Tab-separated table of all heavy atoms in Angstrom:
chain	number	residue	atom	x	y	z
I	38	VAL	N	9.813	27.154	13.304
I	38	VAL	CA	10.814	28.057	13.870
I	38	VAL	C	11.513	27.402	15.055
I	38	VAL	O	12.728	27.524	15.231
I	38	VAL	CB	10.155	29.392	14.285
I	38	VAL	CG1	11.141	30.270	15.039
I	38	VAL	CG2	9.636	30.125	13.056
I	39	TRP	N	10.765	26.703	15.888
I	39	TRP	CA	11.360	26.028	17.036
I	39	TRP	C	12.324	24.919	16.600
I	39	TRP	O	13.336	24.676	17.238
I	39	TRP	CB	10.269	25.445	17.929
I	39	TRP	CG	10.777	24.927	19.243
I	39	TRP	CD1	11.001	25.639	20.379
I	39	TRP	CD2	11.122	23.572	19.543
I	39	TRP	NE1	11.475	24.828	21.386
I	39	TRP	CE2	11.560	23.541	20.897
I	39	TRP	CE3	11.107	22.379	18.823
I	39	TRP	CZ2	11.974	22.378	21.524
I	39	TRP	CZ3	11.518	21.214	19.450
I	39	TRP	CH2	11.944	21.221	20.793
I	40	CYS	N	12.021	24.270	15.484
I	40	CYS	CA	12.872	23.159	15.014
I	40	CYS	C	14.063	23.647	14.200
I	40	CYS	O	15.179	23.137	14.364
I	40	CYS	CB	12.041	22.185	14.176
I	40	CYS	SG	10.788	21.297	15.102
I	41	SER	N	13.843	24.618	13.296
I	41	SER	CA	14.908	25.023	12.375
I	41	SER	C	15.272	26.495	12.443
I	41	SER	O	16.137	26.937	11.676
I	41	SER	CB	14.509	24.673	10.934
I	41	SER	OG	13.302	25.323	10.589
I	42	GLY	N	14.631	27.274	13.309
I	42	GLY	CA	15.004	28.674	13.456
I	42	GLY	C	14.642	29.497	12.234
I	42	GLY	O	13.520	29.434	11.718
I	43	GLN	N	15.602	30.283	11.751
I	43	GLN	CA	15.366	31.165	10.614
I	43	GLN	C	15.192	30.411	9.303
I	43	GLN	O	14.813	31.019	8.292
I	43	GLN	CB	16.526	32.156	10.487
I	43	GLN	CG	16.680	33.077	11.679
I	43	GLN	CD	17.813	34.072	11.495
I	43	GLN	OE1	18.354	34.213	10.406
I	43	GLN	NE2	18.158	34.782	12.569
I	44	LEU	N	15.467	29.136	9.296
I	44	LEU	CA	15.265	28.327	8.092
I	44	LEU	C	13.830	27.838	7.955
I	44	LEU	O	13.542	27.031	7.069
I	44	LEU	CB	16.215	27.121	8.108
I	44	LEU	CG	17.710	27.428	8.075
I	44	LEU	CD1	18.509	26.138	8.135
I	44	LEU	CD2	18.075	28.216	6.832
I	45	SER	N	12.947	28.311	8.813
I	45	SER	CA	11.559	27.859	8.735
I	45	SER	C	10.915	28.250	7.412
I	45	SER	O	10.147	27.485	6.833
I	45	SER	CB	10.762	28.440	9.908
I	45	SER	OG	9.415	28.039	9.843
I	46	TRP	N	11.243	29.452	6.920
I	46	TRP	CA	10.716	29.874	5.612
I	46	TRP	C	11.164	28.917	4.509
I	46	TRP	O	10.368	28.523	3.643
I	46	TRP	CB	11.182	31.288	5.295
I	46	TRP	CG	10.609	32.339	6.183
I	46	TRP	CD1	11.165	32.833	7.337
I	46	TRP	CD2	9.371	33.008	6.022
I	46	TRP	NE1	10.350	33.787	7.893
I	46	TRP	CE2	9.232	33.921	7.108
I	46	TRP	CE3	8.360	32.953	5.061
I	46	TRP	CZ2	8.128	34.747	7.250
I	46	TRP	CZ3	7.257	33.787	5.211
I	46	TRP	CH2	7.145	34.662	6.288
I	47	VAL	N	12.430	28.534	4.550
I	47	VAL	CA	12.951	27.599	3.539
I	47	VAL	C	12.290	26.229	3.676
I	47	VAL	O	11.987	25.560	2.684
I	47	VAL	CB	14.486	27.492	3.672
I	47	VAL	CG1	15.053	26.558	2.624
I	47	VAL	CG2	15.128	28.864	3.564
I	48	LEU	N	12.059	25.813	4.913
I	48	LEU	CA	11.455	24.504	5.154
I	48	LEU	C	10.057	24.403	4.553
I	48	LEU	O	9.759	23.465	3.799
I	48	LEU	CB	11.399	24.252	6.661
I	48	LEU	CG	10.673	22.978	7.121
I	48	LEU	CD1	11.437	21.754	6.642
I	48	LEU	CD2	10.515	22.965	8.634
I	49	TRP	N	9.213	25.395	4.823
I	49	TRP	CA	7.842	25.329	4.314
I	49	TRP	C	7.770	25.634	2.825
I	49	TRP	O	6.877	25.126	2.131
I	49	TRP	CB	6.962	26.291	5.104
I	49	TRP	CG	6.842	25.930	6.553
I	49	TRP	CD1	7.264	26.665	7.621
I	49	TRP	CD2	6.295	24.724	7.096
I	49	TRP	NE1	7.011	26.008	8.797
I	49	TRP	CE2	6.411	24.794	8.505
I	49	TRP	CE3	5.731	23.586	6.537
I	49	TRP	CZ2	5.971	23.793	9.343
I	49	TRP	CZ3	5.293	22.572	7.379
I	49	TRP	CH2	5.409	22.673	8.758
I	50	THR	N	8.684	26.449	2.318
I	50	THR	CA	8.720	26.668	0.861
I	50	THR	C	9.115	25.398	0.127
I	50	THR	O	8.553	25.069	-0.929
I	50	THR	CB	9.700	27.800	0.518
I	50	THR	OG1	9.334	28.985	1.233
I	50	THR	CG2	9.695	28.089	-0.969
I	51	ALA	N	10.082	24.671	0.672
I	51	ALA	CA	10.462	23.386	0.075
I	51	ALA	C	9.317	22.396	0.142
I	51	ALA	O	9.153	21.561	-0.762
I	51	ALA	CB	11.691	22.827	0.790
I	52	GLY	N	8.474	22.491	1.193
I	52	GLY	CA	7.311	21.618	1.285
I	52	GLY	C	6.272	21.886	0.220
I	52	GLY	O	5.389	21.051	-0.013
I	53	ILE	N	6.360	23.033	-0.430
I	53	ILE	CA	5.457	23.338	-1.550
I	53	ILE	C	6.110	23.031	-2.890
I	53	ILE	O	5.493	22.460	-3.794
I	53	ILE	CB	5.031	24.818	-1.493
I	53	ILE	CG1	4.276	25.111	-0.196
I	53	ILE	CG2	4.168	25.176	-2.691
I	53	ILE	CD1	3.940	26.576	-0.006
I	54	VAL	N	7.385	23.405	-3.026
I	54	VAL	CA	8.065	23.278	-4.320
I	54	VAL	C	8.335	21.819	-4.669
I	54	VAL	O	8.064	21.378	-5.794
I	54	VAL	CB	9.372	24.092	-4.300
I	54	VAL	CG1	10.159	23.849	-5.576
I	54	VAL	CG2	9.062	25.571	-4.138
I	55	LEU	N	8.862	21.056	-3.730
I	55	LEU	CA	9.237	19.677	-4.039
I	55	LEU	C	8.033	18.805	-4.394
I	55	LEU	O	8.067	18.083	-5.406
I	55	LEU	CB	10.023	19.085	-2.868
I	55	LEU	CG	11.393	19.726	-2.606
I	55	LEU	CD1	12.082	19.065	-1.427
I	55	LEU	CD2	12.266	19.651	-3.844
I	56	PRO	N	6.940	18.796	-3.621
I	56	PRO	CA	5.773	18.025	-4.071
I	56	PRO	C	5.206	18.520	-5.396
I	56	PRO	O	4.746	17.721	-6.220
I	56	PRO	CB	4.773	18.207	-2.918
I	56	PRO	CG	5.601	18.492	-1.730
I	56	PRO	CD	6.744	19.308	-2.252
I	57	GLY	N	5.235	19.840	-5.601
I	57	GLY	CA	4.770	20.344	-6.890
I	57	GLY	C	5.620	19.849	-8.047
I	57	GLY	O	5.098	19.521	-9.123
I	58	TRP	N	6.922	19.788	-7.831
I	58	TRP	CA	7.804	19.277	-8.877
I	58	TRP	C	7.543	17.795	-9.138
I	58	TRP	O	7.543	17.352	-10.296
I	58	TRP	CB	9.253	19.483	-8.452
I	58	TRP	CG	10.248	19.035	-9.475
I	58	TRP	CD1	10.637	19.709	-10.606
I	58	TRP	CD2	10.972	17.813	-9.488
I	58	TRP	NE1	11.564	18.986	-11.310
I	58	TRP	CE2	11.789	17.813	-10.644
I	58	TRP	CE3	11.022	16.715	-8.630
I	58	TRP	CZ2	12.622	16.757	-10.962
I	58	TRP	CZ3	11.870	15.664	-8.950
I	58	TRP	CH2	12.651	15.692	-10.101
I	59	LEU	N	7.282	17.027	-8.088
I	59	LEU	CA	6.970	15.610	-8.263
I	59	LEU	C	5.632	15.427	-8.958
I	59	LEU	O	5.463	14.501	-9.772
I	59	LEU	CB	6.962	14.906	-6.902
I	59	LEU	CG	8.325	14.794	-6.207
I	59	LEU	CD1	8.172	14.187	-4.831
I	59	LEU	CD2	9.299	13.962	-7.045
I	60	PHE	N	4.668	16.288	-8.671
I	60	PHE	CA	3.394	16.238	-9.391
I	60	PHE	C	3.598	16.530	-10.876
I	60	PHE	O	3.003	15.892	-11.745
I	60	PHE	CB	2.408	17.252	-8.793
I	60	PHE	CG	1.604	16.726	-7.649
I	60	PHE	CD1	1.639	17.362	-6.421
I	60	PHE	CD2	0.822	15.590	-7.786
I	60	PHE	CE1	0.903	16.888	-5.353
I	60	PHE	CE2	0.087	15.105	-6.725
I	60	PHE	CZ	0.120	15.750	-5.494
I	61	TRP	N	4.437	17.511	-11.163
I	61	TRP	CA	4.644	17.939	-12.554
I	61	TRP	C	5.356	16.857	-13.360
I	61	TRP	O	5.015	16.624	-14.519
I	61	TRP	CB	5.446	19.235	-12.558
I	61	TRP	CG	5.727	19.766	-13.935
I	61	TRP	CD1	6.861	19.613	-14.679
I	61	TRP	CD2	4.831	20.526	-14.748
I	61	TRP	NE1	6.752	20.227	-15.882
I	61	TRP	CE2	5.507	20.799	-15.965
I	61	TRP	CE3	3.540	21.008	-14.571
I	61	TRP	CZ2	4.907	21.527	-16.977
I	61	TRP	CZ3	2.961	21.741	-15.592
I	61	TRP	CH2	3.645	21.992	-16.774
I	62	THR	N	6.362	16.241	-12.777
I	62	THR	CA	7.101	15.203	-13.501
I	62	THR	C	6.415	13.851	-13.466
I	62	THR	O	6.804	12.953	-14.227
I	62	THR	CB	8.513	15.055	-12.922
I	62	THR	OG1	8.415	14.723	-11.526
I	62	THR	CG2	9.295	16.340	-13.078
I	63	GLY	N	5.439	13.672	-12.605
I	63	GLY	CA	4.748	12.394	-12.534
I	63	GLY	C	5.615	11.262	-12.037
I	63	GLY	O	5.455	10.116	-12.469
I	64	HIS	N	6.557	11.546	-11.155
I	64	HIS	CA	7.472	10.547	-10.564
I	64	HIS	C	8.375	9.897	-11.610
I	64	HIS	O	8.951	8.841	-11.365
I	64	HIS	CB	6.694	9.444	-9.827
I	64	HIS	CG	5.844	9.959	-8.707
I	64	HIS	ND1	6.332	10.201	-7.450
I	64	HIS	CD2	4.527	10.303	-8.678
I	64	HIS	CE1	5.349	10.641	-6.679
I	64	HIS	NE2	4.252	10.722	-7.401
I	65	ARG	N	8.495	10.509	-12.787
I	65	ARG	CA	9.370	9.911	-13.807
I	65	ARG	C	10.839	10.135	-13.475
I	65	ARG	O	11.687	9.328	-13.833
I	65	ARG	CB	9.048	10.513	-15.184
I	65	ARG	CG	7.699	10.122	-15.733
I	65	ARG	CD	7.559	10.591	-17.179
I	65	ARG	NE	7.688	12.027	-17.278
I	65	ARG	CZ	6.672	12.872	-17.186
I	65	ARG	NH1	5.452	12.420	-16.969
I	65	ARG	NH2	6.853	14.175	-17.313
I	66	ASP	N	11.140	11.249	-12.822
I	66	ASP	CA	12.527	11.576	-12.470
I	66	ASP	C	12.648	11.697	-10.954
I	66	ASP	O	12.649	12.812	-10.405
I	66	ASP	CB	12.966	12.881	-13.148
I	66	ASP	CG	12.910	12.779	-14.658
I	66	ASP	OD1	13.176	11.685	-15.169
I	66	ASP	OD2	12.593	13.792	-15.304
Side-chain angles (χ1 to χ4, degrees):
V38 173
W39 189 84
C40 293
S41 59
Q43 297 182 11
L44 297 178
S45 179
W46 293 93
V47 181
L48 174 66
W49 296 117
T50 304
I53 299 174
V54 174
L55 294 180
W58 182 79
L59 292 175
F60 273 123
W61 180 262
T62 58
H64 300 276
R65 291 188 300 270
D66 299 326

